[in-house]
Amino acid sequence: MSKKETLTILEKIDVRFIYGTLLLTLAFVTLVPIGLPFTIGEQSKKAYNLIEALPAGTVVGFVPDLDAMGWLQGGPPAIAYARHLFRRPLKIVIFVMLSTDAVGLTFSILDQVKPETLGKKYGEDWIFLGYAAGGEAAYAASADDLWRTFGGRDYYGKSLEDLPLAKSAKSAKDIPLLVVPESGGAAILFVRHWNARYQTQIICNEPPMIVPQYTAYERAGQISVVNSGLRDGAEYEKLIGQPGLSLAAMDGLSAATFLLLGYIVIGNIGFLKRKLSKEA
Amino acid sequence: MVSSMLYRRTAPLVLGFLLGLLMVLEYYVPTDAFRIAATSMRTWAVVIATIAIGFGLTNVVRIHYADIKSRRKGTWPFSVWMLVIIAVILVLGLTAGTQHVIYRFFFDNMFMLPYNTVVTFLCFSTFSAGYRAVKARSLEGILLLIGTVFVMMWYAPIGEILWSGFPTIGKWIYDVPSTGSMRAIMIGAAIGSAVLGIKTLIGLERGWLGRREE
């Protein structure tokens, strides 16, 4: 094989080979977990401390507005947040307004958390209002009147009049903090309608590619903490002492990142050598 | 003709203007009357959106039924499958409830799993796209390459094990240039949205009417 052919191969590795090596790498770290250590960042600590500092009995909104596509990235952090919230002596109001998938995914989260095993009673310690359609209109309406937005009933059809917790959670005025693990879009709507008018604090977990957009709101003080996908989810699981899927994904993340870096270096070596030999 | 124009164009524009004005006035004139009226309007929007979901479902069924009837080439078997699944989920959800084990089985295994599989395929194609796209072809390419390497190494635990500088520099790139650029884009988009809102309010922007001018 000539030098030119070698350089061409480096630059144009067959995509099947790339997929094959990625698959083998991920399979290896899944079957043989390495458990690479990592430090816990300031953002995760901020979110954790904010929830830890809440006085007992504080009403908190938990809004897992995830869709099916964002579940892999946002689901494990959502479970970590929910575990922390349910462990603390807080009153939790769960509702979703952006994605219809989020109702089913909320049940997936609750299946993992199992509030009843933590001594939490439905109606007194937590309620689930379900999904309200309307997009931004629903966010705006819910800030003024949560009961009317969700038709005066919880997801199971019980009247909110019959749920003790619902009486302390009628609007954004009663809910000082929202925890919003989502696929993108909900936190900004909460900023516009809950934070702008009622100064509600917001903790959100976003897919990494859109975090810079939300960081701008964090710098302005409109969002309290922005966490980034699985990495901050893994840090949060370490903080609450309950390892989960985010931590499990870190080895795969490291392996895939290292492999991609290797391919990028190989591709650039091939490209630069070809370019230099052409110029020579 | 005149009455047709009145209710097809003029009436929606006037209604849109009045309701839009109410929502703006609620913010700038914080009286109880405007607040109550605006709150009612927002609740009405939620009700209309809920009805729209049912309307959307009806439309989907109508379109796919038409495809089945006309045996649209290549897609009509999928339309049959889709209508079957819609019917099963609808009947199951309305009769057994969304908490029923069979409904949850459908949701977890026939909706979420295939969806997650598709997302995983995207991961593979994004991986190979990263290998092909991140090349030092120009100054911008070199900057992209450097930024990509540092941000990737910041995000993955392996980065801080290889070198302690990766998290520091990667986080800086994420927090400063990236956020700054996004902030500029967001300000531009916000100004554009405000202009579009004003144009819609005063009737200059009529795309939402959904029909051609006569």
Side-chain angles (χ1 to χ4, degrees):
Chain A
M1 197 184 289
S2 70
K3 195 175 174 186
K4 194 178 176 186
E5 282 168 353
T6 310
L7 293 174
T8 307
I9 285 171
L10 288 183
E11 221 185 317
K12 290 177 184 164
I13 297 175
D14 194 314
V15 70
R16 291 168 295 184
F17 183 79
I18 295 172
Y19 289 173
T21 49
L22 178 60
L23 187 63
L24 284 170
T25 306
L26 291 174
F28 180 76
V29 296
T30 304
L31 293 169
V32 186
I34 304 166
L36 290 171
F38 56 91
T39 51
I40 296 173
E42 287 308 312
Q43 293 297 102
S44 304
K45 285 181 193 167
K46 259 171 83 176
Y48 179 84
N49 292 335
L50 196 59
I51 293 174
E52 277 292 304
L54 291 171
T58 304
V59 180
V60 175
F62 181 59
V63 189
D65 245 324
L66 297 156
D67 55 24
M69 209 149 186
W71 173 251
L72 290 177
Q73 184 82 241
I79 293 169
Y81 287 134
R83 283 190 167 132
H84 191 200
L85 288 171
F86 276 99
R87 237 171 42 182
R88 293 225 59 235
L90 304 168
K91 306 290 181 187
I92 300 158
V93 180
I94 308 174
F95 57 97
V96 292
M97 292 185 286
L98 203 60
S99 165
T100 49
D101 303 342
V103 173
L105 295 174
T106 300
F107 287 121
S108 299
I109 294 169
L110 292 171
D111 283 347
Q112 295 285 322
V113 174
K114 297 185 178 52
E116 57 285 350
T117 63
L118 298 167
K120 300 295 179 182
K121 200 169 166 208
Y122 186 83
E124 289 177 17
D125 301 306
W126 70 282
I127 54 174
F128 179 36
L129 300 178
Y131 168 80
E136 185 150 7
Y139 284 80
S142 62
D144 295 326
D145 194 339
L146 208 53
W147 284 35
R148 265 174 92 172
T149 306
F150 288 91
R153 295 188 177 276
D154 71 351
Y155 180 75
Y156 306 101
K158 286 187 204 152
S159 169
L160 293 179
E161 290 284 353
D162 300 332
L163 300 172
L165 172 53
K167 289 175 189 162
S168 338
K170 290 194 171 174
S171 73
K173 285 183 203 160
D174 304 318
I175 303 177
L177 174 70
L178 290 168
V179 178
V180 189
E182 52 142 347
S183 304
I188 288 177
L189 296 175
F190 278 122
V191 164
R192 285 192 208 145
H193 301 289
W194 284 59
N195 176 268
R197 291 158 67 202
Y198 299 98
Q199 290 73 54
T200 310
Q201 289 185 295
I202 300 166
I203 296 172
C204 62
N205 183 291
E206 306 292 338
M209 62 287 268
I210 64 172
V211 163
Q213 186 180 343
Y214 288 76
T215 306
Y217 289 100
E218 191 186 9
R219 297 280 161 75
Q222 291 168 301
I223 294 179
S224 301
V225 186
V226 180
N227 282 346
S228 174
L230 278 178
R231 172 61 194 254
D232 283 343
E235 291 172 10
Y236 210 85
E237 285 172 1
K238 269 182 124 177
L239 282 167
I240 64 172
Q242 283 185 275
L245 289 170
S246 302
L247 260 176
M250 286 298 102
D251 280 348
L253 179 64
S254 292
T257 301
F258 199 63
L259 187 67
L260 179 58
L261 190 63
Y263 274 121
I264 288 173
V265 168
I266 290 168
N268 277 283
I269 289 171
F271 169 74
L272 289 169
K273 285 238 173 203
R274 181 175 59 81
K275 200 176 171 192
L276 289 169
S277 61
K278 237 188 213 173
E279 283 166 4
Chain B
M1 178 73 169
V2 171
S3 64
S4 169
M5 286 285 281
L6 188 70
Y7 83 80
R8 284 172 65 186
R9 198 172 74 183
T10 313
L13 286 173
V14 169
L15 195 62
F17 172 74
L18 290 173
L19 292 175
L21 189 65
L22 169 67
M23 305 312 287
V24 172
L25 283 174
E26 186 224 357
Y27 188 78
Y28 290 104
V29 185
T31 60
D32 279 346
F34 282 131
R35 188 183 52 79
I36 291 166
T39 304
S40 290
M41 288 300 109
R42 282 191 281 268
T43 310
W44 272 108
V46 173
V47 171
I48 291 167
T50 308
I51 293 167
I53 289 178
F55 182 72
L57 175 65
T58 311
N59 216 28
V60 161
V61 170
R62 188 179 64 83
I63 289 168
H64 285 273
Y65 178 71
D67 284 349
I68 294 167
K69 214 171 163 188
S70 64
R71 293 290 190 270
R72 191 173 173 193
K73 199 178 170 190
T75 62
W76 77 265
F78 298 107
S79 295
V80 172
W81 178 237
M82 185 173 168
L83 293 186
V84 165
I85 291 293
I86 286 175
V88 166
I89 298 290
L90 203 58
V91 167
L92 205 55
L94 289 171
T95 54
T98 56
Q99 289 290 280
H100 195 272
V101 63
I102 298 176
Y103 186 94
R104 293 296 309 276
F105 176 84
F106 269 92
F107 183 81
D108 292 335
N109 300 303
M110 293 189 70
F111 173 62
M112 286 302 294
L113 278 182
Y115 225 117
N116 291 341
T117 307
V118 170
V119 171
T120 314
F121 287 153
L122 283 177
C123 150
F124 280 81
S125 62
T126 307
F127 189 92
S128 71
Y131 157 69
R132 281 174 216 295
V134 183
K135 291 222 170 66
R137 290 189 184 94
S138 59
L139 176 63
E140 291 86 2
I142 293 168
L143 291 173
L144 177 67
L145 174 63
I146 294 168
T148 301
V149 168
F150 277 102
V151 172
M152 270 172 31
M153 285 289 126
W154 156 63
Y155 199 74
I158 197 167
E160 60 191 282
I161 291 169
L162 290 174
W163 180 44
S164 58
F166 276 132
T168 312
I169 298 170
K171 189 85 172 61
W172 180 86
I173 292 172
Y174 205 62
D175 284 346
V176 179
S178 193
T179 301
S181 318
M182 274 312 303
R183 194 181 275 129
I185 292 168
M186 281 156 57
I187 290 171
I191 293 170
S193 300
V195 169
L196 180 65
I198 292 166
K199 281 173 75 176
T200 305
L201 211 59
I202 61 177
L204 286 178
E205 179 62 48
R206 293 174 188 174
W208 60 279
L209 287 174
R211 51 181 67 84
R212 285 184 307 174
E213 292 295 319
E214 287 167 23

